[in-house]
Amino acid sequence: MNDTGPPKGTERLLVVSNRLPVTVSRVEGGGFEYTPSVGGLATSLNALREEMDMLWLGTPGLHIEDPSEQQQLVEELGREFDSVPLFLEREDFDLYYDGFSNGCLWPLFHYFPQFAHFDQREWDAYRAVNSTFARRIAEIARPYDSIWVHDYHLLLLPTLLRQSLPEASIGYFLHIPFPSFEIFRMLPWREQILSGMIGADLIGFHTYGYARHFLSSLLRILGLEQNFGRVTVGDRVIQVETFPLGIDTERYAQAHELPQVKSRLLELKDEIGGEKVILSVDRLDFTKGILERLTAYEQFLEAHPEWQERVSLISLLVPSRTRVPEYQNLKSQVDEQIGRINGEFGQPGWTPVTYLYRSLPFEQLASLYLLADVALVTPLRDGMNLVAKEYLATRADGTGVLVLSETAGAAAELGEALIVNPHDKEGLVEALHQALSMPVEAQQARNKPMRARLSRYDIQRWTDEFLSQLHGLREERRLQLPRRLQDNHRVELLQAYRNAERRLLLLDYDGTLVPFAQTPEGAGPDAALLKLLKSLATVPHNQVVVISGRNAGTLEAWLGTTGADLVAEHGARIQRAGEDAWEPFPESIEGAWKEQLRPLFEVFVDRTPGSLLEEKGAALVWHYRRSDPGLGSQRAAELTEALEGYIANTNLHVLQGHKVVEVKPSTISKGRAAGPWLHTNPAPDFILVLGDDVTDEAMFDAVPEEAWTVKIGSPQGSHARFYLSDTTDARELLHTLSTGS
Ligand code: ADP
Ligand code: G6P
């Protein structure tokens, strides 16, 4: 990342979603027509186009193969809508959109696993289309653009983009629920999906619950732990956050003043007469609870005959995904049920359910919101649900009753509505009765705080918060130390090494020279490592010290012949190369503390399958690498807390490392352990320190500022000057020294 940041005026926002904010269709006689796209994503983000320098990439909504027509569309969409259409092969698109996106991810993420099909061809097409998006973006992205990817059609895109644009600022927002781990784990490609998402710097969800589900899947499936929503992924840190999507509140709040809205409202009132109106507005989707709602309305008319001929349900349904079989079945079931209700209850001059199956322009939709005494928003599952918010915002006089499902994301913000369980028919009947009978003052009292919230947290605020967090993360990364050890640093380092007369190499072992293994015994050195250490240690003027948390016996058995000095148990014991004896730690570490703490550790070993206790001369260590990741990290936090209680006011110290919790005397640290090699006379004139763990930070702190300190793994929170990704990089650096000297 460039150290000075983007020059002014060069930043642009690239928004990427499956569907462009306008849908293209052909007009008879040639040319194209553009209509606003339906659905929460398009209607909310449409408002942004006026606000910022942005470019929107997505599919245009129809297939065009003729190159000259494609060109015409590129020009018109670019000029009129700041949009770039992506043209896909018809078969690929169908398998990706109708197939994997809407036939697998959509039902699964909305808790309809019985509708989800897991089809290899659809998955292959999904991957291929995500790659096509990535390639197209790489063609149009400029160096300082931020890229904001939206929704479940493009879950693999963040990591694909990260591969081609490693320094880009990438945000991702999921507009649908993220399901609980037990549902998500059903997906045969669950690892790939999560790995695809974590290429983003910032991952946003509508509610805290969805973010929590995502973090729990990350932990259980990829073993990635979080800390306040921050997750370390290789050498990057990503942030998982909650941003509840808002609407263009002002536009809805002012709609009642528009002349077309006023006249349409009068017409509607005239048609309806004195009846009360219940309104529902949805895409025709099985997640929206349309059949359950109709049944509840039918039961309401039966249970409360006094409302017959005094109330009418207007159901506005917009066609959606009509090629997916579950949607086609639903359409015929809805037709049938409405026909039955109207046949059974209808009277001359009273139609219990009025049904519109089309998209309406804004003014007509707003008139319906103003007409309706009750909005019945009862999805079985919904990521957010904007209709609920639009209804409240449009009713500028604060009247109207919102009946809202607890399983819509919006319920997290609209708690003063009549909250219902959409599966509970009796509860729905009761809520309808309560809604229709509610006095105006009570309606206004409930709506007031919700309307105030909608004004504060509108679409503008949503975008601002997401983008400012995304920019904040970029800034943090830019200023963040350590920096990646790049080729130019390597040249400098090698030069310093060559010029030096007394070189000191302080090397951690686990996670630095060898990757972690399932058990502590499994991480012994391979022949290449032994050779590498020998070749470095035998160079005159080189002093190689392996400073490890391991016990003395293991270190000696593994590394005793390399010619390196060995420091065991974070400094508790020292063995100089060529000597048999281990020097004891200079300060007393004996005491009864191990006996006292061992039972507590044993309780945690019993309660956590796969975990084990390791006893070292000066430490007790609980390892949980082989345990269930969720359980392991939860127990680690509990054990740490319990230990901290026990050891308060002692000279003991508890620390959490990589899948370990360790207690040892606080007088022992790798920083102090390095002392005898640092404070020599004359002092070393080249110092390299490699370490991956919190215990290695003490070494980074103990050496002079100009020393070459390199953190292996995530740079987050480290005091080292540089970082490298993993043990392979670390060994490669040492190899450069061994051959370049
Ligand atoms: P989803 O994103 O699942 O479609 P939302 O409730 O979040 O559900 O968003 C639906 C959006 O589509 C709302 O902005 C709503 O105004 C709009 N909409 C739904 N039905 C119609 C319709 N028949 N005509 C016009 N707009 C509609
Ligand atoms: C939901 C999804 C959007 C989608 C919209 C309409 O809001 O979250 O990504 O665009 O439904 O669905 P469609 O399949 O017509 O794009």
Side-chain angles (χ1 to χ4, degrees):
M1 178 63 45
N2 184 300
D3 276 351
T4 53
K8 260 204 151 10
T10 55
E11 287 177 84
R12 203 175 45 158
L13 177 66
L14 293 187
V15 172
V16 192
S17 63
N18 167 61
R19 194 181 274 288
L20 284 176
V22 284
T23 298
V24 186
S25 49
R26 289 179 192 281
V27 271
E28 259 178 57
F32 300 112
E33 186 181 49
Y34 303 93
T35 46
S37 299
V38 288
L41 190 161
T43 51
S44 56
L45 284 179
N46 226 343
L48 287 184
R49 294 215 325 264
E50 282 114 59
E51 308 286 337
M52 50 181 65
D53 183 8
M54 71 183 246
L55 205 55
W56 195 318
L57 181 82
T59 62
L62 88 170
H63 284 280
I64 302 182
E65 275 155 25
D66 174 11
S68 69
E69 281 199 319
Q70 288 189 349
Q71 188 51 34
Q72 182 190 346
L73 203 58
V74 168
E75 283 165 19
E76 290 182 15
L77 279 169
R79 197 173 53 237
E80 304 292 330
F81 303 101
D82 305 312
S83 293
V84 181
L86 188 78
F87 301 106
L88 296 167
E89 295 289 324
R90 185 185 292 271
E91 195 187 60
D92 283 352
F93 178 80
D94 292 349
L95 288 168
Y96 139 86
Y97 173 76
D98 292 323
F100 197 74
S101 300
N102 291 324
C104 175
L105 293 174
W106 178 272
L108 191 68
F109 280 36
H110 284 86
Y111 295 77
F112 283 83
Q114 70 277 26
F115 289 170
H117 41 93
F118 305 124
D119 180 309
Q120 185 65 38
R121 276 184 70 216
E122 292 175 354
W123 164 246
D124 290 342
Y126 184 83
R127 280 170 39 215
V129 168
N130 273 253
S131 299
T132 309
F133 267 91
R135 278 196 300 278
R136 188 73 186 100
I137 294 164
E139 283 165 12
I140 55 180
R142 297 193 207 136
Y144 297 109
D145 289 345
S146 299
I147 307 171
W148 192 1
V149 181
H150 292 268
D151 230 355
Y152 60 101
H153 314 86
L154 301 172
L155 288 163
L156 305 178
L157 190 52
T159 292
L160 291 169
L161 287 175
R162 179 67 58 208
Q163 285 156 2
S164 52
L165 302 163
E167 303 297 350
S169 199
I170 303 172
Y172 177 84
F173 192 86
L174 185 71
H175 289 259
I176 64 174
F178 195 95
S180 80
F181 168 69
E182 289 301 338
I183 291 282
F184 184 69
R185 74 189 309 186
M186 295 170 75
L187 191 62
W189 305 281
R190 57 200 184 187
E191 285 94 352
Q192 291 95 318
I193 292 285
L194 292 178
S195 304
M197 294 172 78
I198 57 179
D201 298 300
L202 178 62
I203 302 181
F205 297 92
H206 285 306
T207 71
Y208 174 69
Y210 306 158
R212 197 164 40 77
H213 289 156
F214 172 70
L215 288 168
S216 131
S217 283
L218 268 193
L219 178 65
R220 286 162 167 269
I221 295 169
L222 297 186
L224 295 174
E225 295 184 11
Q226 62 114 0
N227 189 357
F228 292 106
R230 292 217 158 189
V231 181
T232 300
V233 179
D235 56 15
R236 296 184 311 115
V237 175
I238 66 170
Q239 176 78 46
V240 176
E241 247 330 329
T242 304
F243 304 91
L245 177 64
I247 57 169
D248 187 350
T249 310
E250 211 36 44
R251 182 172 183 232
Y252 286 92
Q254 289 172 357
H256 68 283
E257 290 168 7
L258 298 173
Q260 292 131 293
V261 173
K262 284 183 184 165
S263 59
R264 180 68 192 139
L265 182 59
L266 286 177
E267 278 170 27
L268 286 168
K269 282 191 169 157
D270 213 37
E271 282 168 29
I272 289 286
E275 289 161 25
K276 288 226 174 194
V277 172
I278 303 170
L279 175 70
S280 65
V281 178
D282 319 85
R283 274 183 314 99
L284 188 82
D285 195 300
F286 54 83
T287 59
K288 301 287 182 181
I290 300 166
L291 295 173
E292 290 75 4
R293 183 190 303 154
L294 287 170
T295 306
Y297 179 62
E298 189 177 358
Q299 288 181 5
F300 167 75
L301 293 178
E302 269 165 13
H304 296 279
E306 72 276 16
W307 281 106
Q308 291 184 18
E309 299 185 67
R310 286 176 53 216
V311 68
S312 148
L313 171 66
I314 300 180
S315 184
L316 175 58
L317 295 169
V318 63
S320 185
R321 306 173 196 165
T322 44
R323 282 175 313 181
V324 179
E326 280 74 23
Y327 289 74
Q328 291 161 0
N329 297 342
L330 179 63
K331 169 77 170 66
S332 38
Q333 285 173 283
V334 169
D335 286 347
E336 194 190 313
Q337 198 171 353
I338 292 181
R340 196 164 43 72
I341 297 175
N342 282 342
E344 193 176 326
F345 293 93
Q347 299 290 337
W350 180 55
T351 311
V353 187
T354 307
Y355 165 33
L356 301 172
Y357 184 51
R358 67 189 129 102
S359 181
L360 292 185
F362 173 76
E363 292 76 12
Q364 292 203 32
L365 182 63
S367 314
L368 281 172
Y369 286 148
L370 289 167
L371 176 74
D373 301 281
V374 176
L376 191 55
V377 183
T378 55
L380 301 179
R381 200 59 78 156
D382 208 334
M384 170 51 74
N385 195 290
L386 296 181
V387 169
K389 294 187 170 183
E390 292 167 2
Y391 174 71
L392 288 175
T394 310
R395 314 236 3 144
D397 63 2
T399 62
V401 182
L402 173 65
V403 179
L404 179 63
S405 268
E406 61 193 7
T407 39
E413 294 163 84
L414 304 178
E416 294 85 356
L418 290 184
I419 301 291
V420 291
N421 170 355
H423 298 279
D424 171 11
K425 303 266 163 30
E426 300 244 310
L428 280 177
V429 169
E430 184 43 40
L432 271 180
H433 183 58
Q434 192 187 344
L436 288 167
S437 324
M438 191 181 289
V440 166
E441 300 72 38
Q443 296 174 15
Q444 287 169 326
R446 278 175 181 267
N447 293 347
K448 197 172 170 202
M450 295 195 279
R451 288 173 43 80
R453 240 171 275 141
L454 290 177
S455 295
R456 275 200 308 276
Y457 210 104
D458 64 359
I459 180 67
Q460 188 61 50
R461 172 93 176 263
W462 179 77
T463 326
D464 289 350
E465 290 205 350
F466 188 95
L467 292 177
S468 74
Q469 275 235 27
L470 186 61
H471 293 157
L473 289 169
R474 176 167 65 185
E475 199 52 15
E476 225 176 86
R477 209 169 33 159
R478 193 170 66 80
L479 299 174
Q480 186 183 55
L481 282 171
R483 290 171 295 162
R484 176 177 274 286
L485 192 85
Q486 309 273 19
D487 286 348
N488 56 330
H489 303 127
R490 246 172 240 264
V491 171
E492 217 184 300
L493 187 151
L494 191 58
Q495 198 59 43
Y497 177 81
R498 284 198 186 121
N499 293 344
E501 289 176 8
R502 282 168 303 282
R503 305 153 180 155
L504 174 60
L505 277 60
L506 300 173
L507 310 175
D508 166 54
Y509 182 77
D510 290 278
T512 298
L513 298 177
V514 291
F516 288 101
Q518 291 289 5
T519 56
E521 317 80 60
D526 49 277
L529 176 62
L530 293 174
K531 193 168 159 219
L532 177 62
L533 289 175
K534 255 184 212 160
S535 73
L536 284 166
T538 47
V539 172
H541 314 301
N542 273 10
Q543 183 77 65
V544 179
V545 190
V546 176
I547 302 196
S548 166
R550 294 261 176 187
N551 64 42
T554 307
L555 278 190
E556 183 169 351
W558 284 355
L559 306 174
T561 57
T562 55
D565 290 350
L566 303 178
V567 175
E569 296 176 28
H570 303 106
R573 287 175 168 73
I574 292 169
Q575 187 185 52
R576 301 270 177 179
E579 289 178 14
D580 288 339
W582 283 85
E583 292 168 28
F585 187 71
E587 293 166 43
S588 165
I589 51 164
E590 296 311 321
W593 69 269
K594 281 210 277 182
E595 296 314 313
Q596 286 164 353
L597 291 184
R598 190 179 295 107
L600 178 64
F601 276 90
E602 280 165 355
V603 168
F604 277 79
V605 172
D606 287 343
R607 286 174 61 205
T608 320
S611 73
L612 56 97
L613 174 62
E614 184 191 6
E615 186 156 346
K616 301 182 188 171
L620 286 174
V621 192
W622 180 67
H623 293 258
Y624 61 97
R625 183 165 300 280
R626 281 196 304 176
S627 306
D628 172 272
L631 182 69
S633 68
Q634 188 189 329
R635 293 275 193 267
E638 286 169 23
L639 175 59
T640 307
E641 202 185 336
L643 285 169
E644 275 167 352
Y646 274 103
I647 65 175
N649 305 322
T650 68
N651 74 342
L652 294 171
H653 175 61
V654 53
L655 49 96
Q656 281 196 47
H658 281 300
K659 307 275 183 189
V660 294
V661 176
E662 175 153 7
V663 176
K664 61 185 182 60
S666 52
T667 44
I668 298 178
S669 88
K670 287 190 176 184
R672 287 171 72 111
W677 290 271
L678 290 171
H679 310 301
T680 50
N681 192 8
D685 52 357
F686 170 90
I687 302 172
L688 172 69
V689 188
L690 303 185
D692 75 305
D693 203 347
V694 276
T695 58
D696 300 316
E697 292 297 320
M699 286 199 282
F700 298 145
D701 292 339
V703 296
E705 249 176 49
E706 63 282 5
W708 293 86
T709 47
V710 186
K711 168 81 193 274
I712 310 304
S714 164
Q716 189 71 15
S718 174
H719 295 170
R721 285 172 61 203
F722 300 96
Y723 76 94
L724 285 170
S725 298
D726 51 30
T727 56
T728 313
D729 287 354
R731 284 206 204 183
E732 194 195 310
L733 175 65
L734 292 175
H735 195 71
T736 315
L737 297 187
S738 82
T739 53
S741 52

